[in-house]
Amino acid sequence: MKILSPIASGNGAYIIHRLIAENLNNYHLCAYNPWLTTFPPALYAICRQGNPDIIHTTPDYSIFNKRKNTPLVLTFHNYVLDQYMSPYSSTLQRLHYATDLRFLTRKALKNATVLTAVSQFIANLVADDMKVEKKIRVVYNGIDENLFSPRKHARNGKIRVLFSGNLSRRKGANLLPEIASHLNPGIEIIYTTGLRATRKLPDHPALTNTGSIPYSEMPDLYRSTDILLFPSVREGFGLAAAEAMACGLPVVATNCSALPELVDHGRGGLLCAPGDTVAFANSVNRLAASASLRREMGEYNRAKVEKQFTVRRMVQAYNDLFEETLDKR
């Protein structure tokens, strides 16, 4: 069995497909520059090597990777074509989502042999918004729990709260200055600029910009902080939340999209209404004031990752799916 995975580099989906390739024999990753998607027909010319038994990729540009008589397995890592996302998208993004990307996604759904999604939320959303009748199987993303592991010793000093992600409205980065203004003294928010490091947030004494952090350095960054702050309004899965959980951090996140599937409110973290900056700040203040609560929630999160979100479980689920697909063919 040979699986080929053509996928754009530099995003969460690429990280997941690379993990599969590293842990599953005969799974071959074919990464390409995401700028090629500005002219999708160019994708016809890449990732054509060999004769794979299955193509596994994301829906958006999959019709340019499809091959005759080869099963096409698609994974929805996120979904942004519904009206809810309109206020969180630029004018060009809204145009792109309403025209070519919606058209290409519909074509992908018609050509797909098997559909998967990385959370139940995304599976339900795609089925509802696209009126999909095919079954969408949920395969949760996996975290390398050996790489992302808790620190061995307790931290002292100022409470460090991490925001990890692109500085976009979708990620809730615009809320950080207001959240920071409601934090108690002795708490600072450390924020990354993500993969699109083109700007920074307004200066604030409780905000510290770390810039763009290589993925290989993220485990150490998680371990150098005490709490993950994740005010995102749309997550297909919530990779940063799962990585922080694996590192034994409590998570303050938005009570929407896939995040409640990861963060158990009151046990592994605290969930807040979208955009409620006071609630986010109060939740951070509550955790900052109690080392024992942070420790209990962090231990709970680590145990949940080990039970539900490991690379081994994810790879086994995809391997079973691929074998089942070939058996049916």
Side-chain angles (χ1 to χ4, degrees):
M1 177 174 63
K2 180 179 179 181
I3 303 99
L4 179 66
S5 180
I7 194 158
S9 61
N11 54 44
Y14 168 76
I15 291 171
I16 294 301
H17 288 240
R18 186 179 66 187
L19 275 174
I20 300 171
E22 291 171 352
N23 291 275
L24 185 60
N25 291 333
N26 298 321
Y27 187 101
H28 302 278
L29 195 68
C30 181
Y32 58 83
N33 192 310
W35 282 104
L36 287 175
T37 60
T38 59
F39 183 65
L43 300 178
Y44 276 123
I46 65 173
C47 302
R48 311 306 295 183
Q49 67 270 29
N51 296 301
D53 297 301
I54 292 175
I55 301 288
H56 177 217
T57 186
T58 53
D60 40 14
Y61 300 101
S62 64
I63 64 168
F64 301 102
N65 304 122
K66 179 175 170 54
R67 302 190 189 187
K68 186 177 181 180
N69 299 324
T70 302
L72 180 64
V73 177
L74 300 182
T75 296
F76 281 88
H77 290 269
N78 208 340
Y79 188 80
V80 295
L81 305 183
D82 56 312
Q83 286 300 310
Y84 177 83
M85 291 307 299
S86 183
Y88 305 101
S89 308
S90 68
T91 300
L92 285 177
Q93 284 176 326
R94 288 195 293 269
L95 179 63
H96 173 50
Y97 298 160
T99 55
D100 57 310
L101 191 57
R102 180 168 284 273
F103 170 78
L104 291 174
T105 302
R106 288 194 182 281
K107 292 283 288 184
L109 289 168
K110 291 180 180 179
N111 284 277
T113 309
V114 177
L115 297 175
T116 72
V118 297
S119 66
Q120 191 62 57
F121 168 79
I122 290 297
N124 294 343
L125 179 60
V126 171
D128 180 64
D129 194 58
M130 283 285 178
K131 306 296 185 280
V132 177
E133 296 183 358
K134 294 179 182 178
K135 178 183 177 181
I136 303 178
R137 183 181 298 192
V138 175
V139 180
Y140 284 119
N141 287 338
I143 306 300
D144 185 340
E145 74 276 19
N146 296 315
L147 179 64
F148 292 91
S149 59
R151 58 175 172 261
K152 296 180 179 179
H153 305 288
R155 282 195 68 257
N156 296 314
K158 182 179 289 190
I159 296 295
R160 289 161 56 94
V161 179
L162 176 64
F163 170 90
S164 176
N166 294 316
L167 299 183
S168 65
R169 286 176 55 82
R170 186 182 307 170
K171 291 292 185 179
N174 58 301
L175 305 177
L176 294 183
E178 181 67 18
I179 294 172
S181 70
H182 294 290
L183 294 179
N184 293 335
I187 304 173
E188 66 173 334
I189 297 176
I190 313 296
Y191 71 91
T192 70
T193 55
L195 300 173
R196 305 165 193 162
T198 57
R199 65 185 184 93
K200 65 176 185 177
L201 297 175
D203 290 337
H204 189 285
L207 291 176
T208 301
N209 179 11
T210 65
S212 182
I213 304 297
Y215 186 72
S216 61
E217 297 178 15
M218 286 303 299
D220 286 335
L221 181 60
Y222 287 119
R223 286 189 285 265
S224 73
T225 61
D226 303 284
I227 302 164
L228 180 76
L229 175 61
F230 207 43
S232 176
V233 297
R234 172 61 57 83
E235 291 296 321
F237 174 73
L239 200 57
E243 290 168 350
M245 291 166 63
C247 290
L249 297 185
V251 178
V252 174
T254 314
N255 190 16
C256 71
S257 65
L259 291 173
E261 295 179 51
L262 275 72
V263 182
D264 293 330
H265 180 69
R267 304 194 70 183
L270 300 170
L271 297 175
C272 307
D276 192 339
T277 55
V278 173
F280 281 116
N282 288 342
S283 296
V284 170
N285 289 334
R286 177 185 169 188
L287 290 171
S290 176
S292 61
L293 183 59
R294 296 196 303 274
R295 182 179 63 255
E296 290 169 8
M297 287 186 168
E299 290 174 352
Y300 177 89
N301 283 340
R302 174 65 187 185
K304 183 171 182 178
V305 168
E306 291 177 346
K307 183 178 180 180
Q308 293 184 241
F309 304 126
T310 64
V311 169
R312 179 185 59 80
R313 288 178 65 89
M314 174 184 70
V315 170
Q316 185 62 56
Y318 277 116
N319 186 64
D320 292 346
L321 179 64
F322 297 145
E323 291 183 347
E324 179 185 315
T325 301
L326 288 180
D327 289 343
K328 287 183 177 179
R329 186 182 65 169

